Every structure is written in C-alpha cells, then in structure tokens.
Amino acid sequence: MEDNQEPQETQDNNRIIPVNIEEQMKTAYIDYSMSVIVGRALPDVRDGLKPVHRRILYAMNELGLNNNKAYKKSARVVGEVLGKYHPHGDSSVYDAMVRMAQEWSMRYTMVDGQGNFGNQDGDGPAAMRYTEVRLEKLAEHMLDDIEKDTVDFQLNFDDSEKEPNILPTRIPNLLVNGSSGIAVGMATSIMPHNLSEVIDGCVAFIDNNDITIDELMQHVKAPDFPTGGIIYGMEGIKAGMHTGRGRVVVRGRVQVDTKASGREQVVITEVPYQVNRDALTNRIGELVNNKVIEGIVHVNNESNKDGTRVVLDLKRDAIANVVINQLYKHTDLQTSFGINNVAIVKGRPRVLNVKDMISEFVEFRHEVVVRRTQFELKEAEKRAHILQGYLIALDHLDEVIRLIRSSATPEIAKDNLINAGWGLDDIQAKAILELRLQRLTGMEREKIKEEYESLMKLIAHLKEILSNAGMRFDIIKTELLEIKQKFGDERRTEITYLSDEVNIKDLIKEEDVVITISHLGYIKRTSADEYRAQRRGGRGVRGGKTRDEDYIEHLFVASTHHTLLFFTEKGRCYWLNVYEIPEGEKAGKGRAIQNLMQLPPDDKIRTIIDIKDLKDEEFVNSHNILLCTKNGIIKKTSLTDFSRPRQTGVNAITIIEGDRLLEAKLTDGSCDVMMAVKSGRAIRFSEEKVRATGRGAIGVAGIEVDDENDEVIGMICVSKNAETAPSVLVVSEKGYGKRTAVDEYRFTNRGGKGVKTLNVTEKTGKLVGLLDVKETEDLLITCKSGITIRMPVSGISELGRATQGVKLIRVDDGDEIAAITTVDEQEIEEEIAEGENQNPVDTTNEASASSDNEDTGNEDTDSGPSEASS
C-alpha cells in the first residue's frame, strides 16, 4: 500500500504551486484595476464614450430607433443592452441613458427622451417602464458607416453577438460632451466644449499639424457648459489646454431688477454646471437665517421647464453688488471644476492636452475614411465584376440561352458557361443564371452598361482617394464642416477675463454710447444711434423711463474704451470704465449707481469727465482738472493726481458747509474759463489766473454770487489751441436758448460779477445750461419728465449776449429742462416726415420762431447795445 500511495502524494504536490501572496495580490488588483479603467470608467479618446454609452447607442441603432421613427420604451432598450452587451445592473444602463437625454447634463444630447427625465432641481427620472427614447439626429452621426467595416467588432460576454470596439463617429465627442469618471487609482474630468469651436479647431489642425496650443485656443476658446453661466478667469483653463490639468471657475448669471415699489431683486437666470437649483436656494436661505449674508428678505426658486429663475428680494437699503459678491463667496453660485483630461489611447490611459485630443480624433477619422473607402472599393469592384459578366452574356445572348436550355441542371449550366471560352468565372456564371428575363430588354441592357461605366468611374475615384492623403483629409474637413453647419450653435457660457490676464478693452467693441444718469442715481448706456435727429422746436422722444420723482440729470456721449471720472457734490472722485456700465434700452431705467461704485447714500454724482487713456503719461501730465462749486469757487488740480483709480474714491476738493461741487472740466493749461449764474450773468477769464493746488485744497473765487437765490449753473473751458472757436450756448429752464460768439464776452479778472449772457424773463425762466458748441455737433436736451430731443447745433440761431434766444423745445407745464449735452460730429440727417410714430416732428412753430428771434432790446449789465437776431 505504501508503494502505491507514494506516487499519489507526488502527483498532488505537483498540482500545488507555491506563490508569494504579495505578488499575487498585486497581480490580481492590477488586473481588476485595468478592467475598471479600460472597460468601465474612462472614455476612449476616439469616440469619447465609455463602454456603457457605446453599447446603448449601438443597441438603439440595431433596434432601428432613428430620430424619424417612433419612440420605444426605455425598458426595451435597457433589456437589449443588458441581454446582449452589458452584463451589469439595469440601473447602471438606465442612469447612463437618462443622462444622455438631459439637456442640462449633456452639451449635445445623444438620446431623445419622451417623458419625465428629471430636472435641474434634483428630481429623479420616472421608472424605465414609463419613459420612451429614440436616437437624436446628432447621435446617428456617431454611428455613420458602421456597416462599412470602418471599425473592429468583438464578441460579447457570451460569444453570442458581436459589438463594436469603437463607434466610427464624425463628431469629436470627447471634447464636445466631455466626460467624468472615477477608476482605480485615477479619475477623469473632461469639460464639454462648443461643437462649432471644436470643429474649427480640428480643421485648423488638419490645415497645419504644427499648430500651437495658443493658436488652437483661438478656435477652442474655453469650456462651454450646457447650463450656460460665466467663466471667471482663463488662467486655469489655459493650463488645462496646455497640460491636460487645470481649473475652471464658473459663476451663475444674475441680473438686478427693480420692482414697481422701487425695491431691487437679484434674479439668478443661470446656475453653474451640475448645481442643483433647489439645493442652492436652500443654502441661500440657511445663510440668510444665520446672518452670513445680509440684505436678503426672501428667496424663492421660480424655475420651470422654460428656464432657471431664482429670485432674491432685497432690503430697501441693500446694495445688490455686495449681495451678489456674498453669494459668489458662500454658495455654489460660483463653482470650480478640476480639469483632468485622462482618456484611453491605444488601450492605455493617458493625460491629454487639447492638441492631443484633436490629433487623436483626426487620426481616427482618417483611419475610418481609409477603411470606408476600401470597403466601398471592394463592393464596387464586386458589383463591376458581375456587371462585366452580364455584358459578356449580352454580347453572346443567343449562345448563352442555347447553352442554358441544353443543360440538364443549374450546376451543369454554370459549368457550361464557365467552359464556353468567354472568360466567365464562377461568380459571374452564377449571376447570369440568376438574371431575370426582363433585364434582356433593350432599355435594361442600356442601364447595365451605364451602371458599369459609372462604377468604373467610382472605382477610379476611390483608388485616387486611397493613394492621395490630401484628398482624404479634405473629405474629413468637408464632413466635419457639414456637422458644424447642421448642429453648430452659439456659445452658452460667457468668458470673463480677469484684469491681470488680458487687456479687456481689446475684447470690447469700440463704439460711441449715450450715458444717462437720473436724479435718483440710476445709470445706463445706450447706443447713440437710438436717438434720432429732429427739427428745432420738436416734441422730442422719451430718453428714459423714470419714476414720478425722478428725471434724467446727466446725459453725454463717450466711447466704450474710455474711462469716466465721476465727481460728486461732496467733492469726491470715483472711476468707472464705460464698458462696465450696464447696457439698457433707451426707455429703460438703468442700474443704481451705488451697485457699480462705493458711493455713500447721502452723496450724488454732479459731473463726469471722459478720459481716453489714464495710462498715457504724456497726456496726463499735460492736463488739469478744473472744478467749480455752486457758490462760485474754482480750483485747478493736475490730472496726474487722478490717474491712479481707487475703489473707494479720492477727495477732489474740500467743500465748505452750504456749498457743493457743480462742474469739473478737463483742460490743457491754456483755456479761457467761463462761468454762468442762474440770473443770466457770465464771466470770462484765463485759466492761468487759477494756480494749481493739491486734491485737498479749497480753491479760489471764480465769480461773485451775492444773492441767496442765485447760484452757478455751469462752467465751460474753451481751448486757445482749437482750430475753430466754438460758440457759447445757453439754455433756459423753459426751453429758450441761443448761441453767442465767445469773443463777445470780454476778459475780466476772476471773482467779478461778469456780464449779461441771457435776458432772463418770466417767459424764458432762469438760466439752466451753459455749453461750448461747434456747428458739426448735435445738441441733446433732456427734460425732468424724461423727454429727450436731438437737434443740430447749426440750426440754433447765433444771437447777441443780451437777447432771450429762440425756443429750442416745447416744455410742458410743470416740466423743466434737466440736462443738455452735445453729440460730437454725428452726421445725422433730420427727419422731417410729419406724424412719424407717436412723436411727430413739430412743423407749426415757424411763425413763433421768428417772433422768438426778435431782440428784446435789453441793455448789457456792463455796456453796449443788444444785438438783433440774425
């Protein structure tokens, strides 16, 4: 027995292989991790899909669920995927399919869903037995030419079916829709991008394989999220484009609305990608209750299927900009995403920059085009071979018929045809035997000849494609541009550059805009073209919708690339770029100016200076700011003192009690200064008589104001270097005005009483405006009611100093002129059509105009007779 047992023990020992458990664990875990990495969690660089998504699309295609066919139950699709290709849980397949149908999850959806597929508030989809699906038209192009041997197929899990290793996509899906996933020891987070931009990038790469990433970024600018929002800063995105790893900061889009009661609302119209709106609303509510965010009275999520709308009602004294910044800081209204471009390249995971992803896709498309062309050539040659056999048979038709009739069986007939000496082979002979008799008619014989000739041309073309790489890449470009034309759209996510990243003015279109500021401090900018020219004495158009107690107080024209210096009545100076002023409709109210700059509630803007470039040292050093106050004080300070903007503003002049800043002007150091008072007096003196002082100084006397009811209404500075001397325009509160030559005002010392500039009567009302104007300019007059009229300066009569002027605008009872300004060199033709829209041009005041032009005969306060009107 022992002899018999010993070989048995030896045999058992041979079956046991001793292994190091550490090595075994390593090997097993690496095998598992690679299975997860390649087969589950990471997308393929070529079609941008994970296996589950690829299987869903392929199964739907096999079921015939095209976009022009009827929907089918989601459960049917899930069953097809599970039974044939994907041996995992049904929820994994259904969840993946649902996400492909959610327009807030995918930049370009692949599945067209019917039924409840959830929403952005975190509500889940209905069960798969209730929802229905079919392919989106775009997804069909992911499967184009799959039947033409363009990709390799593999056996499924039980070797009963075949499935594609990859889809022959025409869409650069990895960049377009992005991907995210967690594998073992690695993860991926690829942001979605705009289809049009990505295709432009692919075309640029095909045209120049040596293109740099910075050049590619001129096409593929930044991620483009399905939920819109605003990208805040480009530095992290640039790193992601160059290295495959970076960071993108996204903010929700907000707007500030004003309710009828005057209270402001912050309305969130877009939230960052993957942010739950209900969770965001609840979080804001918690922060308000915990006093972390101040100024919010009520928050409500009013979003529906038409879009996002989360409304935050503010307290009456709350500053909207402060609240918005607190929301960005404490809530998901500002979110950051890590860019980690990891994808499977030739079976291995790799970190890819944007050029890598585009080049891999283009290389794959080239392979697809080659394989498709080879397949089409093979099929064309097969068909041409058969047609060649038909043509041979038709050339020997009688002999062929005789041979077939004399053959006992089809096999004998086939052999007889092959052995007849006409050069037919087995395939051709079999095709001849299967030929229907109707193909022997004359017309059908011609069709066979035409088909053969066209096939030979196609074969020659396909062979040329295979031998010419340039033609292949042209085909790729053409197909990509067709996709762009069909499915390309505008960016949804706006890009905002930080101030230290780029000169933002390079991104802003330079154009003239009209800036309006109301009495209660609402500001907006409007295109200058919206204000049309009218004849003198017209009714005007509405330039701003205001509340009963509000009216337009400042109205002027500036370029979007300029910087505005705002001077307040308490003598402070603030800075604001024109492009930062919110754009509004002509009849709109605008935004509260406190939301744009840190202006105290008890202060208000009095005057604005438009500076082209504060960084131009030569310009800044050669110019001054001239300030004047209501009580006649004047002060000169170098522009250099105002060339370094501060968020909190700076002191421009020290204002004594009972006085306020009225006007600020930019001068070149050699101007003639004119100041005018309500009672109709004006003074002219040289700027050189005012010595320059620092920002904190009080100033010196400019004009004498000795009446408690009198005050300075304006100041102008006329440069001695001007090519053509401007004229002085004065306007009274009841709409009367005139132009007078500057030289009619004699020079005096500053601090004097001045001379008469307008004959103030009950008919004209007090003096309200003083401007220096040129004939090439247009005049804009705004009333407290919001009515605005635009007229050419050349149409206003030039009269003597002591006249009352002519009527410029009809002012309704109880209304007064609030602001006057000029539009520089706007060549706009007058509209003279009667009864146009609701604002007909007045053509009935020609007679009254002549009487208005009559000289009042009043004497000047100094000396000299008044002048008759021209």
Side-chain angles (χ1 to χ4, degrees):
M1 287 293 293
E2 287 179 4
D3 291 337
N4 293 333
Q5 284 176 354
E6 192 170 340
Q8 182 66 37
E9 285 177 7
T10 307
Q11 192 175 357
D12 290 343
N13 286 338
N14 288 339
R15 287 182 184 173
I16 298 168
I17 303 169
V19 295
N20 184 319
I21 191 163
E22 185 181 347
E23 290 299 320
Q24 180 63 28
M25 290 292 288
K26 273 185 185 177
T27 306
Y29 199 76
I30 286 171
D31 288 345
Y32 161 71
S33 65
M34 284 309 296
S35 172
V36 171
I37 288 165
V38 177
R40 186 184 302 182
L42 298 187
D44 193 289
V45 71
R46 295 168 291 178
D47 64 2
L49 297 173
K50 299 177 188 177
V52 65
H53 302 111
R54 191 177 299 121
R55 287 162 174 168
I56 289 168
L57 294 180
Y58 181 67
M60 291 177 74
N61 187 60
E62 290 296 289
L63 286 171
L65 294 180
N66 294 342
N67 77 294
N68 56 355
K69 303 286 176 62
Y71 292 92
K72 280 192 178 175
K73 288 287 184 187
S74 299
R76 172 76 187 277
V77 177
V78 171
E80 183 84 359
V81 174
L82 290 181
K84 290 185 176 179
Y85 313 114
H86 199 68
H88 296 276
D90 58 354
S91 62
S92 65
V93 177
Y94 185 52
D95 289 348
M97 189 169 69
V98 163
R99 190 174 180 278
M100 293 170 82
Q102 291 174 336
E103 57 185 23
W104 61 91
S105 294
M106 301 281 284
R107 181 61 181 85
Y108 299 90
T109 55
M110 294 289 161
V111 173
D112 179 8
Q114 183 170 265
N116 175 15
F117 280 82
N119 59 33
Q120 259 181 283
D121 296 324
D123 298 328
M128 69 177 85
R129 61 183 177 275
Y130 299 118
T131 59
E132 297 179 334
V133 291
R134 64 185 178 188
L135 285 171
E136 286 279 11
K137 196 171 183 65
L138 180 70
E140 290 179 17
H141 291 291
M142 297 279 293
L143 295 142
D144 278 349
D145 307 317
I146 196 167
E147 73 284 355
K148 293 184 179 179
D149 192 34
T150 49
V151 292
D152 292 331
F153 279 71
Q154 64 188 18
L155 291 168
N156 68 343
F157 57 87
D158 63 357
D159 294 353
S160 62
E161 299 278 345
K162 283 195 170 184
E163 60 173 316
N165 288 339
I166 200 80
L167 297 187
T169 174
R170 291 191 183 189
I171 299 141
N173 186 57
L174 185 64
L175 267 172
V176 165
N177 271 322
S179 185
S180 64
I182 300 171
V184 178
M186 64 182 66
T188 186
S189 179
I190 303 170
M191 300 294 109
H193 292 76
N194 183 271
L195 178 65
S196 300
E197 291 181 4
V198 174
I199 286 177
D200 287 342
C202 292
V203 170
F205 173 79
I206 291 169
D207 290 337
N208 174 20
N209 287 167
D210 297 324
I211 190 170
T212 65
I213 291 175
D214 286 330
E215 288 170 337
L216 267 178
M217 284 184 68
Q218 294 175 11
H219 304 284
V220 188
K221 298 179 179 66
D224 188 24
F225 297 102
T227 51
I230 299 165
I231 288 172
Y232 187 64
M234 284 291 292
E235 201 59 43
I237 293 169
K238 197 170 182 182
M241 294 284 191
H242 280 265
T243 67
R245 298 189 191 277
R247 181 169 169 268
V248 53
V249 179
V250 184
R251 288 179 163 184
R253 190 179 298 278
V254 297
Q255 64 187 44
V256 180
D257 294 344
T258 306
K259 297 199 290 187
S261 63
R263 284 198 181 186
E264 289 187 325
Q265 290 179 322
V266 172
V267 181
I268 301 169
T269 56
E270 291 174 4
V271 297
Y273 185 48
Q274 294 180 340
V275 168
N276 183 317
R277 295 182 303 209
D278 268 351
L280 175 65
T281 307
N282 294 336
R283 176 64 178 157
I284 294 170
E286 287 173 15
L287 293 170
V288 171
N289 291 336
N290 295 333
K291 308 291 185 189
V292 176
I293 297 179
E294 301 284 349
I296 297 176
V297 177
H298 184 254
V299 56
N300 188 33
N301 183 7
E302 298 177 5
S303 306
N304 55 30
K305 59 183 175 60
D306 297 323
T308 298
R309 182 178 169 83
V310 179
V311 180
L312 286 66
D313 292 323
L314 303 187
K315 294 178 181 175
R316 194 171 291 278
D317 59 345
I319 297 173
N321 258 21
V322 174
V323 173
I324 291 167
N325 286 331
Q326 287 179 322
L327 292 172
Y328 287 146
K329 182 178 179 181
H330 297 292
T331 74
D332 281 344
L333 194 60
Q334 176 173 307
T335 310
S336 65
F337 295 93
I339 298 172
N340 186 23
N341 298 336
V342 179
I344 303 297
V345 182
K346 296 177 175 61
R348 299 173 66 88
R350 250 184 71 193
V351 179
L352 304 159
N353 61 35
V354 67
K355 185 176 177 181
D356 293 335
M357 288 193 276
I358 287 174
S359 66
E360 290 289 343
F361 170 74
V362 171
E363 184 185 328
F364 173 61
R365 274 308 296 167
H366 181 260
E367 182 188 332
V368 168
V369 168
V370 169
R371 289 182 62 160
R372 182 182 67 193
T373 308
Q374 288 171 339
F375 177 85
E376 288 173 349
L377 176 62
K378 194 169 155 188
E379 293 298 308
E381 285 176 338
K382 276 186 193 173
R383 179 64 180 163
H385 185 63
I386 289 171
L387 291 175
Q388 195 177 22
Y390 287 169
L391 291 173
I392 291 170
L394 291 171
D395 288 342
H396 305 85
L397 187 58
D398 293 339
E399 292 95 323
V400 167
I401 292 169
R402 184 178 55 76
L403 266 175
I404 294 170
R405 286 182 66 185
S406 63
S407 301
T409 64
E411 283 298 319
I412 295 170
K414 185 175 74 170
D415 292 340
N416 288 338
L417 287 171
I418 294 170
N419 299 324
W422 299 321
L424 295 173
D425 61 16
D426 189 77
I427 294 170
Q428 290 172 322
K430 190 175 178 182
I432 291 167
L433 289 171
E434 291 171 354
L435 193 69
R436 295 172 67 183
L437 286 176
Q438 72 174 30
R439 301 299 300 273
L440 302 179
T441 60
M443 190 178 292
E444 289 294 319
R445 290 170 69 180
E446 284 301 315
K447 282 184 181 177
I448 290 170
K449 286 180 182 177
E450 286 173 11
E451 186 183 352
Y452 179 74
E453 287 168 4
S454 67
L455 268 176
M456 295 313 291
K457 287 179 184 174
L458 176 61
I459 289 167
H461 176 65
L462 293 173
K463 284 181 176 177
E464 188 182 2
I465 290 172
L466 289 172
S467 64
N468 188 332
M471 283 184 71
R472 296 196 293 273
F473 283 110
D474 283 342
I475 290 168
I476 295 169
K477 279 165 59 176
T478 303
E479 290 177 349
L480 283 171
L481 292 171
E482 283 174 4
I483 295 292
K484 177 186 171 182
Q485 187 179 1
K486 280 184 187 176
F487 305 104
D489 57 3
E490 295 295 320
R491 282 191 68 86
R492 294 183 190 173
T493 306
E494 184 185 325
I495 301 169
T496 301
Y497 293 85
L498 302 183
S499 57
D500 59 344
E501 291 179 340
V502 71
N503 183 359
I504 197 163
K505 289 181 181 177
D506 294 341
L507 309 172
I508 305 293
K509 179 186 173 186
E510 185 165 10
E511 61 178 344
D512 281 347
V513 290
V514 176
I515 312 293
T516 58
I517 303 175
S518 76
H519 177 67
L520 291 182
Y522 289 90
I523 187 170
K524 71 172 188 292
R525 64 181 165 99
T526 315
S527 174
D529 295 335
E530 288 202 31
Y531 292 87
R532 68 170 191 268
Q534 291 189 0
R535 301 177 68 184
R536 177 175 62 78
R539 184 68 181 82
V541 297
R542 183 162 293 280
K545 188 184 293 180
T546 58
R547 285 153 59 187
D548 292 342
E549 67 273 21
D550 200 6
Y551 54 88
I552 302 299
E553 193 164 68
H554 302 281
L555 189 147
F556 59 96
V557 175
S559 165
T560 49
H561 279 202
H562 291 187
T563 302
L564 300 181
L565 271 59
F566 290 81
F567 293 87
T568 72
E569 62 181 23
K570 290 195 172 183
R572 299 280 294 173
C573 175
Y574 297 86
W575 292 261
L576 192 64
N577 293 310
V578 172
Y579 62 77
E580 293 177 320
I581 298 170
E583 195 167 359
E585 297 177 357
K586 187 170 64 177
K589 181 178 173 183
R591 278 277 294 281
I593 206 162
Q594 282 93 344
N595 287 330
L596 304 176
M597 61 181 75
Q598 295 182 17
L599 189 68
D602 59 343
D603 203 358
K604 67 174 293 187
I605 303 298
R606 290 304 309 175
T607 185
I608 303 104
I609 290 180
D610 179 15
I611 305 290
K612 184 176 182 180
D613 187 3
L614 278 175
K615 293 180 181 176
D616 184 344
E617 290 186 16
E618 185 181 344
F619 178 85
V620 168
N621 293 332
S622 61
H623 283 76
N624 303 309
I625 298 289
L626 211 59
L627 305 164
C628 86
T629 72
K630 176 176 72 93
N631 291 348
I633 300 295
I634 191 164
K635 173 176 178 284
K636 182 167 74 173
T637 304
S638 171
L639 180 58
T640 311
D641 289 358
F642 299 97
S643 63
R644 291 175 291 279
R646 295 184 199 167
Q647 200 168 6
T648 54
V650 296
N651 257 344
I653 183 174
T654 300
I655 300 291
I656 60 173
E657 192 175 347
D659 199 3
R660 59 181 167 83
L661 183 68
L662 181 73
E663 194 70 78
K665 295 288 183 187
L666 184 70
T667 69
D668 59 10
S670 61
C671 291
D672 292 344
V673 181
M674 287 188 64
M675 299 171 70
V677 293
K678 257 188 181 180
S679 57
R681 290 183 290 113
I683 191 170
R684 180 187 181 195
F685 55 87
S686 173
E687 180 191 347
E688 295 163 1
K689 294 185 179 290
V690 185
R691 68 182 180 87
T693 56
R695 286 192 286 103
I698 295 175
V700 294
I703 188 172
E704 186 179 318
V705 182
D706 52 7
D707 186 347
E708 289 183 6
N709 297 322
D710 207 4
E711 60 184 55
V712 177
I713 55 91
M715 174 183 72
I716 61 173
C717 298
V718 181
S719 177
K720 292 174 182 174
N721 300 324
E723 293 180 9
T724 56
S727 50
V728 178
L729 175 78
V730 288
V731 179
S732 72
E733 61 189 1
K734 293 190 178 176
Y736 286 81
K738 62 171 181 176
R739 288 188 297 139
T740 307
V742 174
D743 291 339
E744 290 204 22
Y745 297 86
R746 63 182 179 81
F747 277 104
T748 65
N749 284 323
R750 62 170 179 77
K753 283 182 178 267
V755 295
K756 182 177 281 191
T757 185
L758 181 82
N759 185 36
V760 172
T761 64
E762 189 177 339
K763 180 180 177 182
T764 63
K766 301 266 187 174
L767 195 62
V768 292
L770 174 75
L771 287 177
D772 52 317
V773 295
K774 294 184 282 226
E775 290 206 346
T776 56
E777 295 175 324
D778 281 1
L779 179 68
L780 279 168
I781 302 176
T782 304
C783 295
K784 291 185 177 181
S785 62
I787 294 294
T788 299
I789 189 171
R790 179 174 182 165
M791 66 185 74
V793 166
S794 56
I796 302 169
S797 302
E798 191 164 319
L799 307 173
R801 282 190 295 104
T803 56
Q804 70 176 11
V806 296
K807 180 167 272 192
L808 302 180
I809 183 172
R810 293 209 314 272
V811 180
D812 295 336
D813 291 341
D815 198 6
E816 291 178 6
I817 289 177
I820 59 171
T821 190
T822 53
V823 185
D824 189 29
E825 296 177 2
Q826 298 289 322
E827 297 176 359
I828 299 177
E829 294 180 47
E830 293 183 343
E831 293 177 12
I832 56 174
E834 294 184 24
E836 179 183 337
N837 299 334
Q838 318 119 5
N839 297 299
V841 176
D842 182 20
T843 57
T844 62
N845 65 331
E846 297 303 319
S848 63
S850 62
S851 64
D852 288 340
N853 283 344
E854 291 175 5
D855 180 20
T856 61
N858 288 338
E859 296 293 322
D860 189 284
T861 52
D862 242 28
S863 62
S866 61
E867 298 187 14
S869 64
S870 55

